[in-house]
Amino acid sequence: MSARASLDVTRIRAVLFDLDGTLLAIRGGTSDGHLARRLMFLTPVLPGHDPEAFARRFFVLSETPTNYLLAVLDRLGLDSWLRPLADQARRAKGIGTSRASTMVSGAGAALDAVGAHYPLAVLTNRSRVQARELLAHHGLADRFRAITTRGDLWRFKPHPQAVRHSAARLSVPPESILMVGDMPVDMQTARRAGAQAVGVLTGFATGAELSASGAALVLPSVAELPAAILG
């Protein structure tokens, strides 16, 4: 169930969740995703002859530069113009928009269970408007004490400022944070801030990639988090 069981639950004082691929389901980038299907004709020349694996790797590697580009456009006041294009790109990846998204199975119950013991927060590279719309759409707006978005920072994942900012808003030291995410960049962000990280396999990354990036524990999904940290 885990790739590396080295999580110290006694350190945890707050839990910080990524949004897409962690709490919200991703349907693209795999064999049922748009990109993988469109790459089928290139199968003979792709590494390993596997369009699904290639699509997953592409999304993992493009995460950070894409988010920096979106943040710059936001700060230039181009977010309204950009939003239809960004939503189209998210749909191509299988990432939900504010009008069309689903929660990872068991995510709501997991938030209830963990939230009964720890303050919760969200750290996402989406804009604040998008994050609030998504959380409200799924009835999650009141579950989190803090929401940190790309509009709050100049330095984003994997820079440790993202976790440090969230920790400050929760009034806890960064090393007491548990970051839960689906991408290597989430694990790297936590590690660089001195926090712990748990990876989930509901995004594009593999368990090996999450462990190599600093995950203390890798779970099939966020639904298993309460059992892992609450006993």
Side-chain angles (χ1 to χ4, degrees):
M1 191 171 175
S2 66
R4 185 173 60 196
S6 58
L7 183 67
D8 181 0
V9 296
T10 65
R11 287 175 50 189
I12 303 171
R13 290 178 55 189
V15 184
L16 183 59
F17 292 90
D18 174 55
L19 198 53
D20 296 301
T22 302
L23 297 177
L24 300 182
I26 288 178
R27 298 180 298 278
T30 60
S31 57
D32 63 336
H34 297 286
L35 181 58
R37 288 199 300 271
R38 291 176 180 177
L39 292 175
M40 288 297 293
F41 76 99
L42 292 175
T43 297
V45 297
L46 289 176
H49 308 297
D50 188 344
E52 178 180 337
F54 182 83
R56 283 179 174 272
R57 190 62 181 159
F58 171 79
F59 290 137
V60 168
L61 293 176
S62 66
E63 176 81 359
T64 297
T66 298
N67 288 324
Y68 269 97
L69 174 61
L70 291 173
V72 169
L73 292 173
D74 278 352
R75 292 175 187 275
L76 291 175
L78 299 176
D79 49 316
S80 296
W81 168 82
L82 174 70
R83 185 164 184 172
L85 297 178
D87 282 350
Q88 184 176 1
R90 289 189 181 98
R91 285 192 294 269
K93 292 173 67 173
I95 295 175
T97 66
S98 58
R99 299 177 182 176
S101 62
T102 58
M103 289 182 63
V104 169
S105 178
L111 291 174
D112 285 340
V114 175
H117 295 81
Y118 303 106
L120 309 180
V122 164
L123 172 58
T124 176
N125 284 324
R126 285 186 182 261
S127 71
R128 179 163 296 276
V129 170
Q130 294 166 350
R132 287 191 179 279
E133 286 180 352
L134 284 163
L135 293 173
H137 176 72
H138 293 288
L140 301 178
D142 61 347
R143 308 284 186 94
F144 301 100
R145 294 193 187 179
I147 301 171
T148 299
T149 70
R150 66 176 184 241
D152 299 312
L153 308 165
W154 277 108
R155 295 177 174 178
F156 312 103
K157 305 173 188 178
H159 194 278
Q161 183 186 4
V163 169
R164 291 170 183 164
H165 179 87
S166 299
R169 296 191 64 189
L170 292 169
S171 300
V172 299
E175 58 269 22
S176 71
I177 289 283
L178 175 65
M179 175 76 199
V180 183
D182 67 300
M183 296 286 272
V185 70
D186 298 315
M187 310 298 103
Q188 294 161 2
T189 304
R191 186 187 67 218
R192 292 176 183 182
Q196 297 187 96
V198 167
V200 291
L201 297 176
T202 44
F204 296 117
T206 65
E209 289 171 333
L210 293 169
S211 291
S213 299
L217 186 68
V218 176
L219 300 171
S221 83
V222 72
E224 283 72 35
L225 185 65
I229 67 174
L230 301 179

